[in-house]
Amino acid sequence: MADKTQLARQFIQAIPHAKELGLVLEDIGDGVARISMPYDTKLVGDPQSGVVAGGAVSAMMDTCCGAAVMCHPDAPGGTATIDLRIDYMRAATPGQTITTRATCHHITRNVAFVRAVAVDDDTDRPVATASGAFTVENGF
Amino acid sequence: MSRPRPEHVQVVKQRRDAALNALLDSVPYIQFLNVTFDRRGDELTAQLNFNEKHIGNPFLPAIHGGVTAAFLEITAMISLNWSHLWERIESGALDPEDMAKGHVPRQPKIIDFTVDYLRSGLPRDAYARATISRAGRRYASVHVEAWQDHKDKLFAQGTGHFLMPQDDGKS
């Protein structure tokens, strides 16, 4: 079990695009992952407000959901996204780190179901939520 | 039976390309992912210029699902904004030179986006086109299709909803 979490941790940290986004794996294990993305001007989607692009939030949430699947006790290996829906509740406050917490709440032999919530410093008002279906792979 | 003499081809192209470039250059995240647009008249095709940094699974290797989602979102957002501003660009109400200085009209706001991953993204360029299913005064629905080698073998598609900027200044 600890090995699986360790493997998932190593895998997530080796993803080239996760490094490019500046993602930090805060916590992982038992089908739950927490990943943060510090504010960076290169990720801005609206230059007038300085708000991070929806796409960057999507990329972070997708990574976090995948991490939640890989660290689930019943997951044998890697995963790929089948479907992901993101609701953008509000603009993230410029300058603040965005943190996503993803939960793999159900897994079968072939499919994993995941929910995620992203917040900034104001943790009571989510920036975005996601829900998705992921594949269950035997290898990586 | 008289119509105004059509503008010179270079004048038309220069205006449209300058306006489009102003929209793209204003968004750092579009530069970050290296997404470029090909324009034919008002039709846009987005191109995700492959880079090793787009990889999500180094073992396959495959493009990161988040990069695919972001690419589709950018295509939807730019195509919607472009179509929304088109009349004003053509009429001269919007000045591309002024836009290039950062005076770009407010963008539509994304409400939600759903991505359907049909096959894994290969480590090479990808293309996408958006269809505006409905452009209302407040809300718009946009569908995007993305492919790599064959246009009829999509690797991802997506649908998003957007809140349009309200010109009365009420947001």
Side-chain angles (χ1 to χ4, degrees), chain A residues 57-124:
Chain A
V57 176
S58 298
M60 158 197 223
M61 291 186 103
D62 182 68
T63 308
C64 196
C65 289
V69 174
M70 281 194 278
C71 73
H72 191 283
D74 296 343
T79 184
T81 321
I82 297 172
D83 157 90
L84 188 70
R85 178 200 162 101
I86 301 191
D87 290 312
Y88 299 93
M89 259 79 83
R90 67 174 174 96
T93 306
Q96 297 183 1
T97 294
I98 304 172
T99 303
T100 299
R101 185 178 193 274
T103 309
C104 176
H105 58 91
H106 188 76
I107 188 164
T108 72
R109 257 187 305 171
N110 297 300
V111 190
F113 299 88
V114 190
R115 280 192 286 259
V117 181
V119 295
D120 57 15
D121 291 358
D122 184 358
T123 54
D124 290 337

